[in-house]
Amino acid sequence: MKISSIFFGVSLLQGCSAFQPTRSSRIQRTFPLSVSQQNLVEAPKTKEEDEESAVPYILARGDGSTGGGGLPMPKSDEDDGLKRPKVGAEMPNGRPSWFRVPAPSLAEDSRYVEVKDSLKDLNLNTVCKEAQCPNVGECWSGGTGTIMLLGDTCTRGCMFCAVNTDAKPPPPDPFEPFKTAEAVAQWGVDYIVLTSVDRDDIEDGGAGHFGHTVELLKHAKPELLVECLVSDFQGNLTSVETLATSGLDVYAHNVETVERLQKFVRDPRAGYKQSLSTLEHAKKAQPGLYTKTSLMLGLGETDEEVIQTMNDLRAVDVDVVTFGQYLRPTDNHLSVVEYVKPEKFDHFREVGEEMGFKYVASGPLVRSSYKAGEFYLEHMIKTERKQKEEAEI
């Protein structure tokens, strides 16, 4: 029996009036009490005293409407005036006009169709499609996409994500790194983003698979800039180091939301501090490596929590941060708490720039893998590396 099932069964029994422990059923002590312990023990009450001091069951334990087994729920964020996302909660009325994006060209000779066909021919997955990204038209029309390695099935079940989940996904395609290198060569791009599902079923979390892919890409085109948006590898810093030293240019891992909302938004195996530790170690393992992360807004976070998160990211020397609006993929996922206005995104961009982030992309439709951001990062990285080379001459 699973532990969660055991706890559930116990709470049901404890909440049942037919299972109220009597004095004779309580566990008896088999060792003598000290003097201080004796002073804490009340003298046994008579039956009449018990009846006079008894509190009605409903008042003592709750009526069962707010917690399992009649137990009242612990204090919630709402009690402090804070909000959190819930599945099935009421959504904000209407989607704002700023979420409208132009439809891509479906002409046979368009870049959108070219990218789509190349992915299909090579049997490659993209986060653009699997995660239902709203910017797929813009990115594919620009001749690039974010390739998703290690299959299309994740071992985790985050409450915001539309990707398929399974405890035991099919094994990774050993030819996937070669197919990826071929696709990128066909696209002719100078900056590529690789991402993946979480693969907790693999010993190294897929870090070796990622590293092999990066090496093949760099071998085919040394000047290509490669960004890897990866999982937390369950906090395995050896896996982090394997990827960080593989030759990639940007090590990205998303903290997704503020610390308070982590348990509501992400899978229990993920964690705020664990995510920060991987970002910190990546840069320690490979000095000069750029690190990047992303947060979704509109899940009930406060401005103060967002700014605190930015402070925590700068404390581990993260270079790039992006902010985008959370959009519910299906009715079975977390509801949107708020549609954050563009002015608020601009505010966080300004705050981030003042904090010292090298680049802050912030807007309703911004995603961690975003074509406009890639152009800026490409220019920034090449410019900084050129200045460093000139300084060393």
Side-chain angles (χ1 to χ4, degrees):
M1 181 181 289
K2 294 182 179 179
I3 293 177
S4 58
S5 300
I6 296 174
F7 286 141
F8 182 67
V10 171
S11 66
L12 283 178
L13 289 172
Q14 291 176 336
C16 175
S17 59
F19 188 76
Q20 295 304 309
T22 63
R23 292 186 187 277
S24 61
S25 69
R26 293 173 184 164
I27 298 174
Q28 301 296 317
R29 293 181 179 271
T30 58
F31 51 90
L33 296 175
S34 66
V35 174
S36 60
Q37 288 172 325
Q38 291 175 21
N39 293 333
L40 295 175
V41 177
E42 294 181 357
K45 292 183 178 180
T46 65
K47 182 179 180 180
E48 291 75 14
E49 289 174 328
D50 267 340
E51 292 176 349
E52 289 178 2
S53 61
V55 178
Y57 173 73
I58 289 180
L59 293 179
R61 302 296 298 279
D63 62 3
S65 64
T66 56
L71 293 172
M73 292 291 284
K75 186 177 181 180
S76 66
D77 294 332
E78 280 83 352
D79 296 332
D80 294 328
L82 301 175
K83 299 177 181 179
R84 70 171 180 84
K86 300 176 183 177
V87 175
E90 185 177 352
M91 294 276 288
N93 292 326
R95 183 173 289 188
S97 60
W98 56 77
F99 284 109
R100 294 191 178 94
V101 294
S105 171
L106 298 179
E108 291 185 5
D109 59 348
S110 68
R111 293 298 301 274
Y112 177 88
V113 173
E114 179 186 340
V115 171
K116 181 180 178 181
D117 288 346
S118 66
L119 292 166
K120 182 179 179 181
D121 293 341
L122 293 170
N123 194 30
L124 290 171
N125 302 297
T126 66
V127 73
C128 321
K129 179 181 177 182
E130 303 301 331
Q132 303 177 19
C133 180
N135 302 313
V136 59
E138 178 183 353
C139 292
W140 287 15
S141 295
T144 187
T146 299
I147 296 177
M148 192 165 73
L149 303 178
L150 300 169
D152 63 355
T153 305
C154 187
T155 54
R156 298 188 186 179
C158 297
M159 297 305 296
F160 65 89
C161 186
V163 174
N164 297 328
T165 62
D166 196 307
K168 294 183 178 179
D173 177 3
F175 296 103
E176 189 175 56
F178 299 93
K179 294 176 181 178
T180 300
E182 183 178 347
V184 174
Q186 289 179 10
W187 296 345
V189 295
D190 297 318
Y191 192 109
I192 189 68
V193 180
L194 306 176
T195 189
S196 78
V197 291
D198 285 281
R199 291 300 299 260
D200 296 327
D201 59 318
I202 303 174
E203 185 175 355
D204 70 349
H209 190 90
F210 257 103
H212 187 201
T213 306
V214 172
E215 290 168 0
L216 288 172
L217 289 169
K218 289 288 189 175
H219 177 75
K221 188 176 182 178
E223 68 274 19
L224 177 70
L225 296 179
V226 181
E227 173 184 330
C228 291
L229 172 59
V230 296
S231 75
D232 57 18
F233 298 121
Q234 299 185 83
N236 185 334
L237 299 185
T238 300
S239 293
V240 172
E241 190 165 336
T242 295
L243 181 57
T245 57
S246 66
L248 81 168
D249 302 282
V250 179
Y251 187 107
H253 168 68
N254 293 341
V255 297
E256 307 294 6
T257 187
V258 299
E259 185 171 15
R260 175 178 61 88
L261 298 177
Q262 293 280 318
K263 60 184 177 182
F264 304 113
V265 175
R266 304 175 75 190
D267 185 275
R269 285 164 287 188
Y272 187 74
K273 290 182 171 57
Q274 181 167 278
S275 289
L276 291 177
S277 72
T278 63
L279 289 164
E280 181 178 28
H281 190 72
K283 180 156 287 189
K284 287 182 178 179
Q286 186 63 35
L289 183 66
Y290 291 86
T291 50
K292 173 184 173 184
T293 195
S294 181
L295 281 89
M296 300 173 289
L297 302 185
L299 289 164
E301 69 286 333
T302 65
D303 290 5
E304 292 76 16
E305 289 174 325
V306 174
I307 292 173
Q308 181 58 55
T309 302
M310 284 194 275
N311 280 319
D312 294 340
L313 292 169
R314 288 300 301 133
V316 294
D317 202 21
V318 170
D319 300 295
V320 179
V321 63
T322 70
F323 298 101
Q325 171 70 51
Y326 166 67
L327 298 176
R328 182 178 66 172
T330 74
D331 291 345
N332 296 321
H333 291 80
L334 293 171
S335 295
V336 175
V337 173
E338 174 192 11
Y339 286 123
V340 180
K341 294 182 178 181
E343 294 80 9
K344 181 59 66 68
F345 281 102
D346 290 341
H347 170 67
F348 288 136
R349 176 183 52 78
E350 294 170 358
V351 171
E353 290 172 349
E354 291 174 359
M355 285 184 179
F357 286 101
K358 292 185 176 180
Y359 176 54
V360 182
S362 184
L365 288 172
V366 168
R367 295 295 179 264
S368 50
S369 305
Y370 190 48
K371 192 171 185 297
E374 292 167 19
F375 284 143
Y376 184 92
L377 281 175
E378 178 186 350
H379 175 73
M380 180 188 77
I381 293 171
K382 289 181 177 179
T383 300
E384 288 191 352
R385 287 180 176 173
K386 184 178 180 180
Q387 292 174 346
K388 184 177 180 181
E389 290 173 358
E390 292 174 347
E392 292 175 350
I393 296 176

